[in-house]
Amino acid sequence: MKSMLILAMTASLLFYSCEVKIKAGETEKIRNGIELNAKGLQVKQAFLLHSDGTLIPDDNKVNVGEDVKLRLIISGWKEYNGFVFPGAAEKIAASDGAVLLDEPDLFVNYDNIGVSAKDAEYITLTATITKVDKLYDYFLVSFRVWDKKGAGEITGSYKLHL
């Protein structure tokens, strides 16, 4: 029987009324073993959440079918008349190196209209492991968030454990 692993991911902007390398542990505002490299954009906070808004424990242990939301609180976007143009990519690979999902631009629908600069402060990328047929040591979620009208970029990754 062929192995099957299904993953889903989404991205959203939360609508609420120089180069820096950041490693987990260097600041309390970066949690869950998230490793980041930022240039031109500033990451104020980065952490993982459950769908109900509660924090995922630092061991990043989740269940199959559970949404995992990466919350990035970002500043430094290049503004045009109060709007910014974010891009976001996400890739998920199993511990054996197999790439299970690779989305090059989750915000492609915002290319022509942009979003308000205030809304772009809160970027959320969601990954869901919907089904597994064998055990993996971990899933590596890599991401990239960039400014489509500026030079700013954030790259990073974190591991999920079932």
Side-chain angles (χ1 to χ4, degrees):
M1 183 163 127
K2 186 176 177 182
S3 296
M4 180 184 285
L5 174 71
I6 301 172
L7 295 142
M9 64 179 125
T10 61
S12 64
L13 300 165
L14 294 180
F15 298 103
Y16 293 113
S17 50
C18 108
E19 181 175 81
V20 179
K21 290 187 178 180
I22 305 168
K23 299 279 187 198
E26 290 181 3
T27 176
E28 298 203 15
K29 308 233 178 190
I30 309 299
R31 297 183 39 130
N32 302 100
I34 299 168
E35 295 191 11
L36 297 171
N37 183 12
K39 63 178 183 179
L41 294 172
Q42 294 78 46
V43 179
K44 295 178 181 179
Q45 294 185 32
F47 50 91
L48 300 178
L49 297 166
H50 296 284
S51 291
D52 66 3
T54 59
L55 292 171
I56 290 178
D58 286 332
D59 63 5
N60 294 0
K61 195 163 188 152
V62 297
N63 296 313
V64 173
E66 183 176 9
D67 289 343
V68 175
K69 297 180 177 293
L70 167 66
R71 175 75 44 83
L72 297 169
I73 301 175
I74 301 170
S75 64
W77 298 101
K78 179 122 174 114
E79 288 187 44
Y80 293 89
N81 297 322
F83 289 91
V84 300
F85 296 82
E90 196 169 38
K91 179 168 89 173
I92 302 175
S95 57
D96 63 5
V99 174
L100 307 168
L101 195 58
D102 193 356
E103 279 294 328
D105 191 355
L106 295 162
F107 291 145
V108 71
N109 293 337
Y110 296 99
D111 281 357
N112 296 324
I113 59 173
V115 298
S116 78
K118 182 166 176 56
D119 292 341
E121 288 180 32
Y122 302 92
I123 300 291
T124 302
L125 304 178
T126 303
T128 307
I129 301 167
T130 58
K131 184 177 181 180
V132 294
D133 67 336
K134 68 178 188 176
L135 294 178
Y136 294 95
D137 291 334
Y138 60 85
F139 297 92
L140 180 66
V141 181
S142 302
F143 58 90
R144 176 178 174 242
V145 174
W146 70 96
D147 188 336
K148 292 181 178 177
K149 301 283 185 178
E153 175 182 68
I154 300 163
T155 57
S157 65
Y158 61 91
K159 291 179 180 177
L160 293 176
H161 304 276
L162 295 181

